[in-house]
Structures are given as C-alpha cells and as structure tokens.
Amino acid sequence: MDLNKVTHIYFIGIGGIGMSSLAQYFHHMGKSVAGYDKTPSPITKKLEDLGIIITFKESENAIPSAYKNSDKTIVVYTPAIPDNHAQMNWFKGNDFEVLKRAAMLGAVTKNSFCLAVAGTHGKTTTSAMLGHIMTQANTGATSFLGGVSENYNSNLILGTGEVSVVEADEFDRSFLQLSPNIACITSVDADHLDIYGKSEELEASFKDFSKKVSDELIIRKGLPFEGKTFGIEEKADYDAQNLKIENGTYVFDVKTSKEIVKNVRLAMPGRHNVLNALAAIGMAHSYGVKLEAVKDALASFKGIQRRFTYVLNSEEKVVIDDYAHHPTAINAIIDSVEEMYPGRKSLGVFQPHLYSRTQDFADDFARSLSRFDELILLDIYPAREAPIPGVNSEWLLSKVENTDKQLVSKNRLVEKVSKSEASVVVIIGAGDISELVQSIKEKVVYEN
C-alpha cells in the first residue's frame, strides 16, 4: 500500500480514541477524511470542527458519494465494529481495501523510527509521557495516543514524521502489525481472555511482539523477556531510588549503570505511574535523549484525561475519574487513594466493562472493589458483546465482601453519589460512565 497515492480515507468507528488520532493525522496530511460512528461525542465534535464529515447512520446510503470509489478510497475499521455492520459489508462487497486500525497504524509508522509502548496496563500514560518527552526534546516525534493528553488537549501530538510514538495494543494481537525499533513492555497480566482463551497464549503473543523489536526492548523487571529492565529499588537498568512525596509530587532519583539523575519530579499519584515514567525514561534515553532533558520534560507532564483525573479537589470533597477496567488497575487506584488520603472514607463507583472480562475476573474484581468503604455498582457495559447468562452486576455484587454496597441504575447514580458521606469519590470504568462525571461534580458541589 502506497499511502502517498491514497486520497480518501473512510473510518468506521471514527469516534474511538485510537481511530480519531489516525483520522486527525491524515486530515493534517491533506487527505480527504470521513467516517461513521454510532453516537456523537466530544471526540466526533472535535473531528467535525476540523472539517471531517461524520455520519451516525449505519446504512450504505449514508456514506458520502466521494468515498464510494474503490480506486481512491481506503477503509479503516476498529475491531469493535460487529461483523454484520452494513457499511462494512458494503465496502467489502465492492472490493474496497479494508484495513484494521492496527494495520493502518503499522503502515503509517513503518517508514519512521518507531517507539512502541506495550503492556496490559499503563500503555496510554506511558506513551503520553514518552510523547511529551520526545516533543520537549525536539525529536520531531509524532505520537498516536490512546487518551487525551492534558498538555496538548489531544490524542495526537504532531511532529515531522521521521519518528513515531505509538501504543502497541495486545487486543486482537494488533501489536503484531507494528515494526518497532524501540519498545517497552510494562505488564503482562491476564486480560482479553475472550480473544486469547488463556493467559499463556497472551504471554506468547507478547513474546512474538518482543521478537519484532529491532533495536532495544525495555521491560518491567521480573517479566519473562530479554531486555533492559526498569523498577523501583530493584537494581534494574533504570532504577528509581530514594522515592518520596513532596506536596503531592513524587520525587526520586534514576540510576543507570553509567549515571544518576537526582530529584526527578512526577506530579501523578501512584507508584504504578513511577513505573510508567521509568519505562518512558528508558525508551527516550535509548533513543538518545539525555537524562537531564528527560527530567525537565517529566516535571511539566500534566497527565491524561480519565487517568486519576481530579474532577473536584477540595478539603471537604475529592472526586476522581479513571478509565480503569481491570482488577489490577483498580487496585493501583485504591493504593493511590490510600497513599494520598489516609484515613478518609472512600466511595467507589464502578461500571464493569464487558461480560467476558467480568466473568473471567469476577473474584479479583470483588476483592479489589471490597477495599472501598462504600461501593456503587452499575450494570455491565456490553461494548461489543452479547450478554452471558448469569453474568451480571448483581452476581458480581454478591461476591463483594463490603457490606456498604448497592446496585444503582444510571438514571439514579448522580443523586446516590451526592448523598454519600464519603469524602473521596472514585468513578471508574471504560464504558459510558464518563458521561455522568460532570453531572456528579455539579450535584456534589451543590449538595455541599
């Protein structure tokens, strides 16, 4: 595929966070871009403001006529699109070139020096840190992010194109479409078992990914791969030492085999984010960015939207919003809350994501959610899945040991949260719970 000869690109599922960054990139490159999504959102609004045509009707008739020529249009889709999607089937039936998002991302970055961030947790934060470091170091990197960077208010950081920073997504083995020069693996916890079947297959896929890395692999110490390591007080190749908290900011030293940089500052809570920072540090340093320059860039990193995002932060009430949808990630959030707000009463508000993930990790979810002083559970957000008999939020709630727990419908959630006496409220989930966050904030402020 010669992208220089492509004039029109149509995205099915254009409102997805990964899809929209590609759409913005091609629009910036002067291509004609359009797409479909199921419902309007802030992301689709931003794309429309750029002049990108978006339809919210699935029928073939809704496809703009300019994109119905198979000689000049390539179609890109997200795996979340169902097999019976009308537009998808029309394009396939009329001999269009139809690519998964990962294949297109691989094609875009193939001729660049590619830095790829892999792992079942931490990809978005690590890639955003790395993208910020590479931008501040004037490397000309273009970064395709899986979340909206607070520094750039975007999931795309445009550069000159010779260097790229990407998330290497293990879902559907998508990361095997990439050709990374430098990569990291942050974690390999069991996930996406609806795709892999068992954790051993997931690990094998990461092993396959590691073999695609041409120059340098950076791994969390203890993972079963060959590469340079990172860790906290673990005698790793990139080792965080003397970790402390000053005014809500982590301060630590980074020691390598040849040098040490002191007083690195990271204004993100949670030791897991220190590990994410070490992965980004290792990748940038392997590329050639000096550690002092990395330190300066991290000090100005503001974070990612919906990654321990403070919706409200006052002495009386704290409301935090996070995308977490796996027990390991939820535990990391609770660890951060306990570290930042010791002794304060906490309320967890969780919307489970996918029936299969809920089924696979029900006991682990129950253990993590039981750590909150109070728990409100919403119904499972199905995303791409059909229901699984017996797998529902009531079943999950029955496993939670916390006695102060309840199942609440979305239309009653704002009122229920506002009545809670907990001083720290954590809103968690990868579904549509984020749509209620602003209403929760306004109601909490009004009630208090």
Side-chain angles (χ1 to χ4, degrees):
M1 175 177 55
D2 186 352
L3 291 176
N4 292 322
K5 295 181 179 179
V6 175
T7 60
H8 291 63
I9 305 176
Y10 191 84
F11 290 84
I12 303 178
I14 197 169
I17 195 73
M19 292 281 278
S20 62
S21 64
L22 277 173
Q24 291 176 71
Y25 171 79
F26 281 116
H27 175 76
H28 175 76
M29 297 299 292
K31 309 294 186 184
S32 295
V33 177
Y36 157 87
D37 209 82
K38 190 174 183 180
T39 55
S41 69
I43 289 177
T44 59
K45 174 65 165 57
K46 181 177 181 178
L47 296 176
E48 288 177 316
D49 289 345
L50 291 174
I52 294 173
I53 300 170
I54 300 178
T55 177
F56 301 99
K57 296 180 180 179
E58 186 181 327
S59 73
E60 169 259 320
N61 294 330
I63 301 169
S65 57
Y67 296 83
K68 289 188 171 182
N69 185 335
S70 60
D71 292 331
K72 63 180 183 179
T73 299
I74 283 182
V75 179
V76 182
Y77 72 99
T78 170
I81 295 296
D83 292 337
N84 62 352
H85 192 274
Q87 289 188 11
M88 173 82 81
N89 288 330
W90 184 86
F91 281 120
K92 287 182 175 178
N94 286 276
D95 298 323
F96 281 74
E97 185 170 6
V98 179
L99 301 173
K100 283 185 179 180
R101 182 191 71 87
M104 179 57 88
L105 183 61
V108 168
T109 61
K110 185 176 183 179
N111 296 320
S112 69
F113 191 97
C114 180
L115 295 94
V117 177
T120 46
H121 309 295
K123 287 189 295 293
T124 297
T125 300
T126 303
S127 59
M129 288 177 178
L130 179 59
H132 181 61
I133 292 167
M134 298 292 282
T135 299
Q136 294 298 301
N138 297 315
T139 64
T142 295
S143 301
F144 299 88
L145 308 178
V148 177
S149 165
E150 295 282 10
N151 288 84
Y152 305 94
N153 193 32
S154 178
N155 55 343
L156 175 69
I157 308 173
L158 284 166
T160 56
E162 290 83 6
V163 181
S164 59
V165 173
V166 301
E167 290 190 33
D169 189 2
E170 73 279 4
F171 173 74
D172 203 24
R173 297 176 173 83
S174 293
F175 56 3
L176 299 182
Q177 303 273 359
L178 301 173
S179 303
N181 299 89
I182 297 172
C184 77
I185 300 177
T186 63
S187 54
V188 189
D189 292 318
D191 198 5
H192 303 302
L193 298 186
D194 55 323
I195 301 295
Y196 288 98
K198 52 185 180 179
S199 59
E200 290 81 3
E201 289 298 320
L202 174 69
E203 186 174 309
S205 190
F206 273 94
K207 178 74 76 174
D208 292 339
F209 170 76
S210 72
K211 293 176 181 177
K212 295 178 69 66
V213 181
S214 64
D215 293 16
E216 193 81 78
L217 179 65
I218 315 289
I219 61 169
R220 169 79 168 90
K221 188 160 185 178
L223 291 180
F225 310 107
E226 294 294 326
K228 287 188 175 179
T229 58
F230 63 90
I232 301 174
E233 301 285 1
E234 289 191 89
K235 296 182 179 179
D237 293 295
Y238 295 93
D239 191 9
Q241 300 180 343
N242 304 317
L243 181 67
K244 55 184 179 290
I245 298 175
E246 294 180 356
N247 299 319
T249 296
Y250 278 116
V251 182
F252 54 95
D253 304 333
V254 176
K255 185 180 184 300
T256 73
S257 60
K258 296 181 179 180
E259 59 185 311
I260 186 167
V261 59
K262 292 184 174 293
N263 297 321
V264 177
R265 299 178 109 30
L266 179 67
M268 293 190 73
R271 288 171 66 93
H272 62 291
N273 281 319
V274 176
L275 290 169
N276 292 336
L278 288 168
I281 290 168
M283 294 181 74
H285 189 234
S286 293
Y287 177 78
V289 180
K290 294 185 181 301
L291 286 180
E292 284 292 340
V294 173
K295 171 184 172 179
D296 291 343
L298 275 179
S300 63
F301 180 69
K302 298 178 181 178
I304 298 289
Q305 291 180 14
R306 298 213 71 221
R307 300 303 192 278
F308 211 91
T309 298
Y310 284 100
V311 178
L312 179 65
N313 191 4
S314 67
E315 290 186 7
E316 296 78 21
K317 205 85 168 183
V318 174
V319 180
I320 296 163
D321 180 32
D322 199 283
Y323 178 78
H325 51 279
H326 186 281
T328 301
I330 294 173
N331 277 322
I333 291 170
I334 300 171
D335 288 343
S336 300
V337 168
E338 291 176 347
E339 182 178 47
M340 303 296 290
Y341 306 102
R344 293 180 64 171
K345 188 175 183 179
S346 63
L347 165 65
V349 182
F350 180 51
Q351 182 187 46
H353 185 262
L354 298 179
Y355 295 102
S356 60
R357 182 180 285 121
T358 305
Q359 181 182 51
D360 291 336
F361 303 108
D363 291 339
D364 293 329
F365 275 124
R367 278 189 290 271
S368 61
L369 295 171
S370 295
R371 296 177 61 190
F372 287 109
D373 296 310
E374 298 178 31
L375 175 67
I376 292 177
L377 203 60
L378 295 184
D379 286 329
I380 297 171
Y381 184 80
R384 57 186 179 268
E385 292 186 337
I388 297 174
V391 178
N392 52 49
S393 288
E394 187 174 9
W395 170 70
L396 176 59
L397 192 67
S398 70
K399 293 175 173 289
V400 174
E401 294 180 359
N402 189 339
T403 56
D404 195 346
K405 59 183 181 179
Q406 55 183 315
L407 182 62
V408 173
S409 61
K410 279 179 63 180
N411 61 357
R412 297 182 61 215
L413 180 64
V414 175
E415 180 184 357
K416 285 288 186 180
V417 172
S418 70
K419 300 297 184 185
S420 171
E421 295 181 357
S423 63
V424 181
V425 179
V426 187
I427 303 165
I428 313 170
D432 58 3
I433 191 172
S434 59
E435 297 173 2
L436 297 174
V437 170
Q438 188 60 31
S439 297
I440 289 172
K441 174 187 176 180
E442 292 170 358
K443 185 71 170 176
V444 167
V445 170
Y446 176 78
E447 293 288 342
N448 288 272

